[in-house]
Amino acid sequence: MASPRNGVLPGFGLTLGFSILYLSLLVLIPLSALFYRTASLSLADFVAEVASPRALAAYQLSFGASLAAALTNAGFGLVLAWVLVRYRFPGRELVDAFVDLPFALPTAVAGITLTTLLAKNGWLGRILEPLGIHAAYTPLGVTLALTFIGLPFVVRSVQPVLEDLESEAEEAAASLGASRWQTFRRVLFPALWPALVTGAALAFARSLGEYGSVVFISGNMPLHTEIVPLLIVTKLEQYDYAGATAIATVMLVSSFVLLLAINALQAIGRKRLAGAGGAP
Amino acid sequence: MTSAVLRESAADPATPSVRAALQDPPWVRATLIALALGFVSLFLLLPLLAVFAQAFSGGLATYFAAITDPIALQAIRLTLIVAAISVPLNAVFGVSAAWAIARFDFRGKNLLITLIDLPFAVSPVISGLIFVLLFGAQGLLGPWLIEHGIKIIFAVPGILLATTFITFPFVARELIPLMQEQGSEEEEAAISLGASGWQMFRRVTLPNIRLGLLYGIVLLNARAMGEFGAVSVVSGHIRGKTNTIPLHVEILYNEYQSSAAFAVASLLALLALVTLVAKRVLEWQIRREKQS
């Protein structure tokens, strides 16, 4: 099975065997328990669970808020990546390092902090509430929490592409009299968009499943501010295993479809980057 | 098409007009920098400051009382134990999987890489749920476990399983591209010079991958200590028994003990800051090592 090229190196059977065993025991078998459990539901029960008004409202909030947050991050993330790669200013390194905070800060801490900031008497709530903007315990708050969680994805996926872009095409466009905006639109953006969409899709996927940072700020009102992961937890706490399992299956399948789409996008991005050296 | 045509007729970029056209006008620069810094301040800096401001809002005495409370100490102890077990397990797996994937060609390799990433695509809540479905009282193995007096869900083993599942890909996904890039010449040379597999691993492979391995471990550890959703589902929230630091923060917060909640949360914020610094230092060293 191993290629002859690497025939000298030892340990193929051992490491592959261990890896597959560990993967199966910890990931594949437990995940298949979810599908096994779902398969034991009758179709009518399954549909009743996953298409109940409460579940539909939860999908709408989760998908809607995740999309809004991903789009916000696509915009600001592109600006942030551009500024970090192209400009030199004091504190740039610090800002660059800081972008990963949402990866490093435990979600529960992010959740209680954002809630405290946006509550009526919080630092931000005090400014927003008189303006009639209610963030805490509303879909807006959910979106803001998801924007925090998804912030690093677009920056970290666009940044390396921007760094690797060869300046030749840009220089050529400029010397042919293209304006800066034309150069961006016609030369830079075509090279950047796969990374931009990949980053936004990663942020979206993460947001769909996010629990800790949202559960405190959402208010958790069924039909209004209840996200899908919370609905699953609520059903589980009421020992409604069938309901929790059915809805979890819908979410898991959505995540897998997203994962495949992201893989395809990354393949396009790699092709573009490789093609940037030769003919487009 | 266009860019090929453009490249042929590219002028010397050093001419002043071209250089000017390559740089954004000052007002664009100023606006974009202001936008970026504003976004970062609002979404990252302000929350971080708020954690510490809230933590000390009740005074130093309250702060230290909160973090030295016996139940808080129990939560800290459990978090450390969980990390001490799941971090080495996933690190060993990561090295092993990276060795098989980066050093050998075999059928299904791409599928294996995709499967390793799977836990990142699964919601933390679902990561907890699957273990409840397997080991919970109503789970597939539940009756058998009860009969034999083994408790996994609402106990420490469940927390361990959920944490290890959630942090499963970290080391592998750092090491696979790193080892693919490094190639196997040095290892092949070691073997042909008569080194045993273990000697080759200790003297050649491990020194080559140590920074990447450490990088993966830093990220893995941060997630293992901070995981909330998955652990929350399997823990049962038994005070002083199955509460990790994030769960303890949640309980304090829901009991309106805000400054105590933030005091304990500030420990996790410190962990996040240490993680960010370690991550940066390692990235810097990895870049330097690649250049030399």
Side-chain angles (χ1 to χ4, degrees), chain A residues 1 5-6 10 12 15 19 22 26 36-37 82 87 100 113 116 148 151 168 171-172 176 180 209 248 255 280, chain B residues 1 6-7 13 21-22 24 43 47 51 90 93 96-97 99 103-105 121 123 129 138 140 164-165 262 279:
Chain A
M1 213 153 71
R5 176 168 59 88
N6 292 319
F12 175 70
T15 55
S19 299
Y22 187 71
L26 191 64
Y36 178 81
R37 189 86 191 200
W82 180 267
Y87 302 156
D100 288 323
T113 309
T116 305
F148 172 86
L151 194 148
E168 280 168 34
E171 284 161 6
L176 285 174
R180 199 69 194 117
S255 304
Chain B
M1 253 303 262
L6 290 179
R7 190 165 300 131
L22 275 177
D24 300 331
F43 272 94
V51 173
N90 283 334
F93 161 75
S96 159
W99 179 257
R103 291 291 175 263
F104 301 92
D105 289 322
S123 167
L129 171 68
Q138 295 184 42
L140 291 174
T164 313
F165 177 94
F262 277 99
K279 183 172 177 292

Side-chain angles (χ1 to χ4, degrees), chain A residues 80-99 159 163, chain B residues 37 280 287:
Chain A
L80 202 47
W82 180 267
V83 164
L84 288 173
V85 173
R86 292 296 174 104
Y87 302 156
R88 292 291 168 272
F89 55 93
R92 188 188 63 94
E93 274 283 327
L94 205 64
V95 173
D96 196 5
F98 216 53
V99 165
Q159 221 174 359
E163 274 164 4
Chain B
L37 292 185
R280 255 297 117 139
R287 214 173 309 147

Side-chain angles (χ1 to χ4, degrees), chain B residues 100-158:
Chain B
I101 288 169
R103 291 291 175 263
F104 301 92
D105 289 322
F106 53 93
R107 253 196 296 175
K109 186 150 104 171
N110 286 330
L111 178 68
L112 182 60
I113 295 175
T114 308
L115 290 177
I116 288 175
D117 265 350
L118 217 50
F120 278 170
V122 178
S123 167
V125 164
I126 298 177
S127 312
L129 171 68
I130 54 177
F131 291 106
V132 174
L133 293 180
L134 265 183
F135 302 120
Q138 295 184 42
L140 291 174
L141 301 175
W144 187 87
L145 290 171
I146 292 172
E147 206 175 287
H148 291 80
I150 305 168
K151 224 168 150 40
I152 293 181
I153 298 306
F154 304 151
V156 176

